[in-house]
């Protein structure tokens, strides 16, 4: 579900969990926050605004900077079947 401003909500594990995903220029997807539906129904409006600001700042990241964040361990890459080059 598109929440606007580069923020998306995805249902996981047979609708038991939610993930807040931030898009970086349509090229990278950053899983920012995961929560169980049983623990909370949704994020609050102030959290959504903060996620939008974070998505906007991530949009300015270059591929070399993302590569450095991965090397430093600040970001962790989640791969589907095979590792992609950054």
């Amino acid at each position: 579900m598109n929440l606007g401003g580069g923020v998306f909500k995805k249902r996981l594990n047979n609708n038991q969990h939610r993930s807040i995903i931030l898009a970086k220029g349509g090229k990278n997807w950053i899983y920012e926050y995961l929560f169980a539906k049983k623990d909370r129904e949704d994020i609050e409006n102030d959290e959504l605004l903060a996620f939008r600001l974070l998505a906007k700042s991530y949009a300015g990241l270059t591929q070399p900077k993302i590569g450095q964040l991965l090397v430093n361990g600040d970001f962790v890459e989640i791969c589907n079947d095979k590792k992609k080059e950054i």
Side-chain angles (χ1 to χ4, degrees), residues 17-28:
H17 296 92
R18 301 285 189 270
S19 178
I20 300 300
I21 303 168
L22 308 180
K24 187 259 173 204
K27 197 166 189 180
N28 297 296

Side-chain angles (χ1 to χ4, degrees), residues 22-24 30 32 53-62 66 75:
L22 308 180
K24 187 259 173 204
I30 301 167
E32 188 64 34
L53 285 173
L54 192 54
K56 186 175 181 178
S57 70
Y58 283 165
L61 293 175
T62 63
I66 291 173
F75 279 11

